[in-house]
Amino acid sequence: MKIALIGTTAESLIQFRKELINSLCKNGHVVYAFAIDYDNSTKEKVKSFGAIPVCYSFSRTGLNPFTDVVNTYKLYKTLKSLNLDLVFSYFSKPAIFGTLAAKFAKIQKRYAMLEGLGFFFTNSGGHVSVRKKLLKKLLVSLYKISFKHIDSLVLLNVDDKRDLLVNENIYVKDVHVLGGIGLNMSDYPYCPPPVDPVSFIFVARFLQEKGVYEFIEAARIVKHQFPQTQFCMLGSLDLHNPGSLTIERLNELKSNKIIELPGHVDNVQDWLAKASVFVLPSWREGFPRSTQEAMAMGRAVITSDVPGCRETVVDGVNGFLIEPRSPVALAEKMLCFLYNPELIPQMGNASYQIAQQKFDSSIVNAKLMKILQLEIE
C-alpha cells in the first residue's frame, strides 16, 4: 500500500515518526513522508528510515485564506501524482488541508490525528479576547468541513474528544483515543533518581501556557526553605509567541542563579538522569512526550490536573496532580518530596512501570496501524 504521512517540520517527523515509518516499511508499505522544511540532511535521515521525503508548502500557524487555498491545490496535485492508497495527516493544519487535498485527489482512505487542541482550547484562567473567540470559531468551522471526509480521527486523550467533538458538535465517522504516541524505550533507559541533593527539572518551551512562570515562582519559594535544592529548565524562548518568557526575564534568571538554564539540548536523557523529579505545570496538553520520557527513565512527576497531563499521573502513586496556574500548589508538592525523599525512588519506579506498559512505541504503533486498518506481520 502507498501511504502518505503529512506533518509539519522535518525535525518533528524525524524525532516522533521514525518508529512508525519503520513499522510501516517493515510491513511492506511504501511511505511518502511530507514536511515543509526539508534540507539535504533531513532528507537523508528520512530516507534512512525507509521513507521517501516529499517537500510541500504550508504556513504552520498563519490563517491566510488565499495562501491556504493555493497551497491546498498544490498539495492536491502532488498527492494525485503519487497514486496513493492512504493519507494520514497529523497536527492541526495538515489535518484540515491535507484531508481536503486527499479528498480532492480521490484517495480512498483518509485519516487525521490531533496531538492536542492547542491555544484556542486552553483555559488561561482569565478574560478571553474577542480575537481568540473568533479564531477558535474559524478553526472549528474548518474542522467541521474537513472531518466529514476522514475515515477516523485519532486523539490522544478523552478530554479532547469531549471538548472538540461533543462540545463543538463536530461529526466524524469514527474516533479513537490513542494515549501517548510512544517512545523507543531503549533511548530512555531507567536509572535510579538522585536524592542528594534533590533536584527538579522542567522540559518545555518557555511559554506561559507551559507553566514556566509557575515553575520559576515555585523554585523561589522552595529555595527559601531548602537552599540546597537544585532546579533546571530545558528549553528555549519562542519570542514570536505572545506567551513567551521575555529575554529580560531570562537574563534575570541567569543572573540570580536560582535555576540552571542550559537552553535547548540534544541530550535530554543525560539531564533527566541527573534530576530527581520531573515537573510540567502546563495548562493543557495532548499527551506530553516530555513526561513520557521522564517516566520511562524512572522519574516521579508533578503535573497539572488538566487535559493531557492528568493522563500521565496516578495521583499519589507515580507523582502528584496539582491545581493549574498555582505556583503555591506546585511548591507544596515539591516540598513534599523534600520532606519525604523516600517517595522519589518509590514514585519513580511506579512511573517506570506505567511507561513500560503504555508508552512503548511498538505497542502504540501496532495500535495505530490497527486504527488505520493496515495489516501487521
Side-chain angles (χ1 to χ4, degrees):
M1 189 174 284
K2 297 172 73 174
I3 299 170
L5 303 181
I6 305 179
T8 53
T9 66
E11 193 58 38
S12 70
L13 180 77
I14 290 165
Q15 287 188 17
F16 308 136
R17 302 288 171 235
K18 177 181 177 180
E19 286 76 24
L20 176 60
I21 291 171
N22 286 337
S23 295
L24 291 170
C25 293
K26 179 183 175 183
N27 283 275
H29 303 291
V30 178
V31 180
Y32 294 88
F34 283 66
I36 60 175
D37 59 352
Y38 276 120
D39 57 25
N40 289 335
S41 174
T42 51
K43 282 182 179 179
E44 290 305 313
K45 284 183 180 178
V46 169
K47 287 178 182 177
S48 74
F49 302 161
I52 301 166
V54 181
C55 198
Y56 79 111
S57 298
F58 251 108
S59 165
R60 289 175 62 194
T61 55
L63 285 172
N64 182 316
F66 177 76
T67 303
D68 287 337
V69 168
V70 170
N71 286 330
T72 301
Y73 177 77
K74 291 179 179 178
L75 180 57
Y76 144 74
K77 296 289 285 184
T78 301
L79 295 175
K80 190 172 180 62
S81 71
L82 295 174
N83 193 27
L84 297 160
D85 300 295
L86 184 151
V87 167
F88 178 47
S89 305
Y90 55 95
F91 298 138
S92 181
K93 291 195 76 171
I96 294 168
F97 298 108
T99 294
L100 293 176
K103 170 66 176 176
F104 299 147
K106 298 183 179 179
I107 296 165
Q108 293 301 307
K109 296 178 180 291
R110 300 178 294 271
Y111 296 85
M113 178 164 71
L114 297 179
E115 297 183 20
L117 300 188
F119 172 74
F120 297 117
F121 287 84
T122 299
N123 180 2
S124 62
H127 173 71
V128 180
S129 69
V130 173
R131 180 177 182 273
K132 183 176 178 179
K133 290 179 181 177
L134 290 174
L135 288 174
K136 180 181 177 181
K137 284 185 177 181
L138 174 59
L139 181 62
V140 168
S141 297
L142 290 170
Y143 283 149
K144 286 183 176 181
I145 292 169
S146 61
F147 288 173
K148 291 178 182 178
H149 306 295
I150 56 176
D151 293 280
S152 186
L153 175 67
V154 181
L155 300 169
L156 302 191
N157 67 70
V158 293
D159 291 287
D160 285 0
K161 180 180 177 180
R162 181 199 64 227
D163 293 349
L164 181 65
L165 303 182
V166 178
N167 292 352
E168 300 298 338
N169 194 28
I170 296 177
Y171 169 78
V172 293
K173 293 177 186 175
D174 193 21
V175 61
H176 295 269
V177 176
L178 182 67
I181 63 170
L183 307 170
N184 183 338
M185 302 301 283
S186 63
D187 291 339
Y188 301 91
Y190 172 85
C191 56
V195 294
D196 187 18
V198 173
S199 59
F200 298 91
I201 189 169
F202 170 98
V203 183
R205 286 180 297 160
F206 296 168
L207 299 178
Q208 181 183 38
E209 58 264 34
K210 295 294 184 182
V212 65
Y213 290 105
E214 289 88 335
F215 185 82
I216 292 168
E217 184 55 32
R220 294 183 192 277
I221 294 170
V222 172
K223 274 279 192 180
H224 183 71
Q225 297 185 49
F226 287 85
Q228 74 279 15
T229 309
Q230 296 180 357
F231 296 88
C232 178
M233 285 169 46
L234 296 186
S236 56
L237 301 177
D238 184 358
L239 296 177
H240 296 292
N241 190 306
S244 176
L245 190 72
T246 63
I247 293 176
E248 292 76 17
R249 189 70 185 275
L250 182 66
N251 289 335
E252 177 192 339
L253 289 173
K254 288 178 178 178
S255 64
N256 63 33
K257 297 182 179 180
I258 291 176
I259 299 173
E260 187 175 5
L261 295 157
H264 175 79
V265 302
D266 294 324
N267 60 333
V268 67
Q269 296 93 328
D270 295 339
W271 291 90
L272 288 171
K274 294 189 291 184
S276 309
V277 177
F278 177 83
V279 181
L280 183 64
S282 178
W283 298 357
R284 186 177 190 125
E285 296 285 335
F287 202 110
R289 183 180 173 90
S290 58
T291 310
Q292 295 174 65
E293 293 171 354
M295 289 172 63
M297 294 186 67
R299 295 300 173 266
V301 175
I302 305 174
T303 195
S304 305
D305 189 8
V306 297
C309 292
R310 65 169 65 104
E311 279 74 16
T312 62
V313 167
V314 180
D315 193 38
V317 176
N318 72 307
F320 296 111
L321 293 173
I322 59 167
E323 176 188 351
R325 299 179 295 280
S326 174
V328 173
L330 176 55
E332 286 177 354
K333 294 307 181 185
M334 289 178 170
L335 289 168
C336 184
F337 282 114
L338 287 159
Y339 284 117
N340 305 278
E342 71 278 4
L343 292 177
I344 293 172
Q346 178 184 319
M347 290 187 166
N349 183 63
S351 280
Y352 172 74
Q353 298 299 329
I354 293 170
Q356 292 293 312
Q357 295 167 17
K358 295 185 177 182
F359 303 154
D360 189 312
S361 60
S362 62
I363 298 171
V364 174
N365 286 330
K367 184 178 178 182
L368 183 56
M369 290 173 71
K370 186 175 180 181
I371 292 169
L372 301 179
Q373 298 185 16
L374 298 173
E375 292 184 4
I376 304 172
E377 291 182 359

